[in-house]
Amino acid sequence: MTPSPFLGELLGTLVLILLGNGVVANVVLKNTKGHNGGWIVITAGWAFAVTIGIFVAKAFGGYDAHLNPAVTIGFAVAQNEYSKVVDYVSAQMIGAFLGGTLVWLYHLPQYAKTEDKGAKLATFATDPAIRASGSNFFSEVIGTIVLLMGIKGIGAVTTGLGPFAVGILVWAIGLSLGGTTGYAINPARDLGPRIAHAILPIVGKGDSDWKYAWVPIAGPVTGAIIAGLLFL
């Protein structure tokens, strides 16, 4: 494979979702070694997933390593430069869909043993602790603004340690702000795997909760635009 920004974003996002949703599957599905590992395990797993995803993206030509349409949109707004948006977001969506599919294939026996339809959906997409659209939307907006402000700050003070610092940033968001909605803060992270959940032949699955799906898309995009205009 020839390295390119498209390939880097695709593979980096694939690894991000494989490891990120993989830790959720390890905790919530039955008959795994990590079953009931808890929120600390999930937030740590997602933080490490971000770090490794960034390294993979850069190794395969994704020098920006956004892995997130909200990051792409936020910096596009800040720089008034939109030439990368379509390519990056397309790659991120494909990678997220493929990553979600791999999580399912990897845990096929565990999906068969798990009766809880909500747990199965949680391995693909986010859902709120308390369903309140306004508050849920606000949570995703604020979480995404903090993400982009943090990335901006990290870029200002470090280079080689950047992927580790971004992982810590995502860990902090998960621990401090993630308990309301599951901190999507990334439209591809939610929508790509949610589409996979909708079309894959998952044993005993429920619906894909499309009524909620707008929140982890619109919230991060809104937060990204605000950050792009005000902070980046």
Side-chain angles (χ1 to χ4, degrees):
M1 290 183 283
T2 303
S4 70
F6 185 91
L7 182 64
E9 290 290 335
L10 191 158
L11 293 179
T13 308
L14 186 157
V15 169
L16 166 70
I17 300 301
L18 175 60
L19 297 179
N21 280 352
V23 73
V24 178
N26 191 30
V27 168
V28 305
L29 296 180
K30 286 187 174 180
N31 294 97
T32 70
K33 297 293 187 179
H35 185 57
N36 287 331
W39 188 244
I40 301 298
V41 172
I42 289 175
T43 56
W46 268 107
F48 304 149
V50 169
T51 296
I52 301 305
I54 292 172
F55 280 125
V56 169
K58 289 181 177 293
F60 285 91
Y63 50 87
D64 288 322
H66 287 170
L67 316 184
N68 181 343
V71 175
T72 299
I73 291 169
F75 281 99
V77 169
Q79 298 161 5
N80 195 29
E81 170 54 61
Y82 299 90
S83 61
K84 300 175 182 177
V85 172
V86 173
D87 278 353
Y88 279 23
V89 173
S90 298
Q92 292 154 4
M93 284 296 302
I94 294 168
F97 175 86
L98 294 175
T101 301
L102 285 175
V103 170
W104 169 66
L105 290 171
Y106 192 92
H107 295 89
L108 274 176
Q110 282 74 31
Y111 281 101
K113 293 289 186 180
T114 302
E115 298 85 11
D116 187 339
K117 297 176 181 179
K120 292 178 181 180
L121 178 58
T123 67
F124 290 88
T126 62
D127 70 314
I130 297 174
R131 193 161 295 238
S133 295
S135 294
N136 302 152
F137 176 79
F138 182 73
S139 292
E140 290 293 336
V141 169
I142 296 302
T144 306
I145 290 173
V146 172
L147 173 67
L148 293 199
M149 289 176 66
I151 290 172
K152 175 70 171 180
I154 289 165
V157 300
T158 184
T159 52
L161 295 177
F164 298 103
V166 175
I168 292 171
L169 169 63
V170 172
W171 199 356
I173 292 171
L175 290 173
S176 300
L177 303 176
T180 54
T181 61
Y183 69 118
I185 58 174
N186 181 340
R189 170 265 175 274
D190 192 274
L191 181 58
R194 195 183 296 269
I195 294 172
H197 178 273
I199 67 176
L200 291 173
I202 303 164
V203 176
K205 71 176 180 181
D207 69 67
S208 301
D209 196 13
W210 290 108
K211 290 182 179 180
Y212 179 74
W214 71 272
V215 172
I217 298 171
V221 169
T222 301
I225 292 171
I226 293 171
L229 291 172
L230 299 179
F231 304 119
L232 299 183

